[in-house]
Amino acid sequence: MLVTFAQAVGDAMKEEMRRDDRILVFGEDIAEFGNIFGITRGMLEEFGPKRVRNTPISEMAFIGAAMGAAETGLRPCVELMYADFSLVAFAEIYHCIAKWRYMHGPEYKLPLVIRSAMGSSFGATGEHSNCLESLYMHSPGLLVASPSNAYDAKGLLKEAIRNDNPVMFFEHKQLYKTKGEVPEEEYTIPFGVADIKREGSDVTVIAIGLMVGRALEAAEALAKEGVSVEVLDPRTLVPFDKEAVRRSVSKTHRAMVVEESNKTSGVGAEIAAMMQEEMYDELDGPVVRVAALDVPLPYNIELEKYAIPDAEQIAAAIRKML
Amino acid sequence: MEYSNEFLVKLYEELLHCRLFEKKLVDTYALGKIPGHIHSGLGGEACYAGTLATRQQGDYFKNSHRCIAVANLLGVSLETAFSEIMAKRTGNAGGRGGVNHVSQLKYNMLGFSATLACDIGLAGGAAMRLQYDGIDNIAYTFYGDGTANRGPVHEAMNLAAVWKLPVLFVCDNNQFGISTHVSQGSSVPNPAADRAASYGMPSAIADGTDVLNVYEAAKKLTDHIRAGNGPAVLECKNYRWRGHFEGDQTPYRDKKVTEEWMQKDSVAKMEKLLLDKKIIDQATIDNMYQQFDDEMERAIAFAEASPAITPEEIYEYLYV
């Protein structure tokens, strides 16, 4: 069936909540209001106020509570409305959630998921537009997912909820309305397994989240010019499927990373550095990074568009590699 | 309040345990056997022993960094505790966490964050679980007067109050956040208790140098919480006998004041009470000191003889 990304996320949670009554959902405006994007609509009615709770605007407190609940036997799937707000509880996530089991011992499992809407969305400006995967990739102990379509979002979220490790789960706002084919039957997608979204032989483009669609557009345009682009979607950044990347570049020998976040210390920096350390022999040239400009995203929509890679920019960068 | 002799002796034992453990930590650190830093809890023991005398099977606990011996009161063995403190494989985290993270979930300990206050919400989460299962246990969360000014404490108090979570916030007010006196850091004289009202919670102030006074205040509040009335705040006034960390020479305070406070010794008070009432005699007390010291020495010897983890094990416990 054809469903939106938003529906797929909501369905994943509802299906898991029906399966396991230890799963709780809480966050800002997620109960009666059903979350600002409508994702949790119907949950309060189906699962009741014990399992679906509105929180005050107190990220530090409810992220802390999610930890305490996870330690003691519940499985919270909490919502931090925007990824930007995760910084308000950054120490709780970066120091505590990530390191808790390491610092206290193996019995301290934290089966919890923190879901956040992220990314640019037409004038949301510098504090409501960030893609922060790289910050959380930098904190050993966390898993990080950044799906690019409805099918992946559903399968990965179900896996995240079942996983005994803490998971940062990022959902791009511009993807919420995009539709994709999702099977009726149950499925999950394991973490650390990349997906080749388009096969090609000249260049490997590793694209993340919203950028997967733009990379596919670029690949389509370049196909008309006789350039064959492989688009690889890692789907999860921690764990990261290095082997899939290796397989792809051992065929194409050229690689690019496309991300929506700004370039400095971004996801692309990490992937490019890793490839140069571990796959140098496969590469015929440097790994190219296509990323946003190093600016806070401006309010002006034309400038916002200018700051973030689009399909044309990706295509132009690929042409330069050949 | 009327107390049975048995209760008083048990309370004294736990208080003494905290005192002697904290002393032993200082001595062992001075011998260079403990890496990192310790934060002596000498002077504040009554806050922990008195509060925890109200605990019941099934309650949850979030400790502070000032009274590591709480772990032992809750069930962690001295061997495990000293092994973790001395960075050995036989510690609860194999020496990956250290002195602040002596904790075992099987004893309902929630762990501790050295980014003070970032762990304060854990008790609320454990309380959610208790509330979810309809269990009338409670969750205790200990923190200090310095931490009382951090945002997460206020958010956690508000959340606990809004959701009527069974949490007792216990502030070990030893008057100093490192070098900063409580009067320089808090807008109110009682940084925990005075703020409880703004979250609609009851509170009490106890003499943190008097373990029975702490117990009585804690008992009243925990009865209130156990009856389903939501969270409460207990503030225990005491004085940090030593510096923030070992090596801190405390140039920021008057030694005379420190000495005056050290006269208000919770252990000495309890011993006087037990001796005056002839509940135990001096020989029994002396024997308890000796016995406990022997147990700690054995645990330290065990930890010293235990292997450390190897570089091959450095990634263990990171992911399930």
Side-chain angles (χ1 to χ4, degrees):
Chain A
M1 60 183 169
L2 207 57
V3 302
T4 64
F5 188 111
Q7 245 177 298
V9 169
D11 288 348
M13 283 190 278
K14 286 178 202 156
E15 287 177 20
E16 290 304 294
M17 288 176 83
R18 285 174 204 135
R19 184 185 59 77
D20 182 352
D21 65 7
R22 302 257 114 190
I23 299 165
L24 260 59
V25 169
F26 50 99
E28 290 153 11
D29 305 299
I30 60 106
E32 290 85 355
F33 195 52
N35 143 310
I36 48 171
F37 301 100
I39 288 171
T40 57
R41 214 167 278 160
M43 279 193 184
L44 176 66
E45 292 76 8
E46 181 173 351
F47 302 105
K50 241 173 106 173
R51 295 180 67 194
V52 181
R53 280 192 190 192
N54 268 348
T55 65
I57 303 175
S58 303
E59 290 83 0
M60 295 183 286
F62 76 76
I63 292 299
M67 259 184 94
E71 277 183 286
T72 56
L74 298 176
R75 301 183 76 87
C77 180
V78 297
E79 179 174 307
L80 265 168
M81 187 180 281
Y82 292 124
D84 312 75
F85 302 164
S86 69
L87 300 185
V88 174
F90 194 55
E92 281 75 7
I93 299 170
Y94 192 94
H95 282 318
C96 299
I97 289 176
K99 301 172 184 173
W100 215 243
R101 185 165 179 267
Y102 195 79
M103 293 196 300
H104 293 94
E107 49 183 347
Y108 286 87
K109 288 180 199 160
L110 290 178
L112 68 91
V113 181
I114 298 176
R115 288 180 43 249
S116 282
M118 72 161 188
S120 61
S121 65
F122 314 107
T125 320
E127 293 161 280
H128 288 71
S129 301
N130 289 275
C131 293
L132 299 175
E133 296 100 321
S134 65
L135 294 185
Y136 297 101
M137 288 165 68
H138 197 62
S139 183
L142 299 174
L143 301 182
V144 180
S146 194
S148 67
N149 62 80
Y151 174 85
D152 289 350
K154 186 175 180 189
L156 289 169
L157 183 54
K158 285 170 73 90
E159 172 62 27
I161 291 170
R162 293 178 192 193
N163 200 293
D164 279 340
N165 293 293
V167 179
M168 298 299 290
F169 197 90
F170 295 108
E171 301 160 10
H172 202 291
K173 282 171 265 175
Q174 289 192 47
L175 291 174
Y176 276 143
K177 286 184 180 164
T178 61
K179 287 187 176 169
E181 200 57 47
V182 168
E184 301 267 357
E185 59 274 14
E186 163 104 318
Y187 71 99
T188 61
I189 297 172
F191 273 44
V193 180
D195 189 38
I196 303 292
K197 297 295 193 219
R198 180 188 176 108
E199 285 195 29
S201 53
D202 295 330
V203 181
T204 299
V205 175
I206 301 162
I208 296 139
L210 182 70
M211 293 297 117
V212 173
R214 295 189 183 178
L216 287 169
E217 262 181 73
E220 189 63 36
L222 288 165
K224 291 176 189 134
E225 301 168 23
V227 178
S228 172
V229 177
E230 178 143 304
V231 178
L232 184 150
D233 177 358
R235 302 198 286 199
T236 63
L237 296 162
V238 182
F240 183 79
D241 190 351
K242 289 182 189 178
E243 283 318 302
V245 172
R246 188 190 299 279
R247 278 194 302 274
S248 183
V249 289
S250 67
K251 183 171 64 175
T252 62
H253 307 293
R254 287 185 185 84
M256 167 188 285
V257 187
V258 190
E259 66 181 304
E260 182 182 317
S261 189
N262 56 309
K263 187 185 271 185
T264 301
S265 297
V267 176
E270 171 54 32
I271 295 173
M274 180 279 294
M275 291 178 74
Q276 272 139 207
E277 280 174 353
E278 300 182 25
M279 302 168 195
Y280 188 73
D281 290 347
E282 297 291 355
L283 296 168
D284 285 348
V287 177
V288 171
R289 286 186 285 160
V290 175
L293 303 178
D294 281 313
V295 290
L297 274 192
Y299 173 59
N300 179 295
I301 288 177
E302 284 310 309
L303 287 184
E304 182 193 73
K305 264 176 75 176
Y306 177 74
I308 296 170
D310 60 17
E312 271 175 44
Q313 232 180 303
I314 297 166
I318 294 170
R319 283 187 202 104
K320 269 172 84 181
M321 292 168 75
L322 299 167
Chain B
M1 261 190 221
E2 289 294 312
Y3 301 104
S4 70
N5 290 352
E6 193 192 357
F7 174 84
L8 290 173
V9 171
K10 170 96 166 107
L11 182 57
Y12 169 65
E13 267 174 7
E14 296 205 332
L15 179 70
L16 184 65
H17 181 113
C18 294
R19 166 64 52 81
L20 296 182
F21 187 96
E22 289 301 313
K23 264 197 168 145
K24 188 59 85 180
L25 267 189
V26 170
D27 295 344
T28 312
Y29 188 81
L31 293 171
K33 293 182 181 180
I34 300 174
H37 306 280
I38 61 163
H39 311 87
S40 171
L42 286 170
E45 303 89 343
C47 166
Y48 300 87
T51 301
L52 290 174
T54 62
R55 71 188 186 272
Q56 292 181 7
Q57 190 69 33
D59 290 344
Y60 284 101
F61 310 92
K62 200 291 290 175
N63 198 9
S64 86
H65 56 300
R66 284 279 168 219
C67 194
I68 305 306
V70 161
N72 303 129
L73 303 192
L74 298 175
V76 177
S77 74
L78 286 167
E79 284 76 11
T80 299
F82 277 108
S83 294
E84 188 59 33
I85 290 165
M86 292 164 79
K88 297 305 180 76
R89 179 188 278 131
T90 40
N92 49 283
R96 293 171 184 82
V99 64
N100 288 324
H101 307 285
V102 175
S103 191
Q104 286 184 297
L105 194 55
K106 63 180 170 185
Y107 300 118
N108 282 7
M109 295 186 72
L110 300 168
F112 169 81
S113 170
T115 312
L116 302 182
C118 283
D119 55 9
I120 198 95
L122 292 180
M128 281 178 78
R129 193 248 147 174
L130 293 169
Q131 199 180 55
Y132 183 78
D133 285 342
I135 301 169
D136 56 6
N137 278 110
I138 68 172
Y140 297 79
T141 186
F142 291 95
Y143 64 108
D145 52 283
T147 307
N149 300 315
R150 282 217 61 219
V153 175
H154 293 263
E155 286 196 5
M157 284 184 169
N158 181 59
L159 189 73
V162 168
W163 287 354
K164 275 195 140 197
L165 296 171
V167 177
L168 181 65
F169 293 88
V170 188
C171 181
D172 168 3
N173 180 356
N174 65 24
Q175 305 189 40
F176 291 92
I178 307 186
S179 69
T180 304
H181 189 256
V182 62
S183 61
Q184 297 177 312
S186 292
S187 57
V188 286
N190 309 298
D194 289 352
R195 286 156 171 171
S198 54
Y199 302 109
M201 280 189 277
S203 68
I205 296 171
D207 176 356
T209 69
D210 181 338
V211 73
L212 281 173
N213 189 268
V214 172
Y215 169 74
E216 284 171 16
K219 182 74 172 69
K220 221 170 131 185
L221 293 175
T222 52
D223 284 349
H224 173 86
I225 301 167
R226 287 185 205 282
N229 297 309
V233 179
L234 172 63
E235 180 170 336
C236 304
K237 303 269 194 199
N238 61 80
Y239 191 92
R240 200 184 68 208
W241 287 7
R242 300 187 66 82
H244 168 66
F245 50 84
E246 286 307 288
D248 170 6
Q249 301 297 320
T250 67
Y252 44 83
R253 63 189 195 184
D254 186 344
K255 283 202 165 37
K256 250 184 74 187
V257 176
T258 306
E259 278 157 23
E260 278 165 26
W261 273 94
M262 287 176 73
Q263 297 306 307
K264 303 174 196 171
D265 178 339
S266 61
V267 173
K269 282 181 195 171
M270 209 44 195
E271 285 168 359
K272 186 172 183 313
L273 178 106
L274 293 174
L275 291 169
D276 286 353
K277 292 197 165 188
K278 300 196 183 337
I279 296 169
I280 49 178
D281 58 18
Q282 188 61 46
T284 310
I285 289 176
D286 293 346
N287 191 40
M288 283 166 76
Y289 274 72
Q290 189 58 50
Q291 207 182 331
F292 189 54
D293 195 63
D294 291 347
E295 282 171 26
M296 285 194 294
E297 284 301 332
R298 276 199 299 275
I300 290 168
F302 169 84
E304 279 190 290
S306 295
I309 56 166
T310 60
E312 288 74 40
E313 296 165 273
I314 199 165
Y315 291 111
E316 281 181 21
Y317 303 172
L318 192 53
Y319 290 101
V320 177

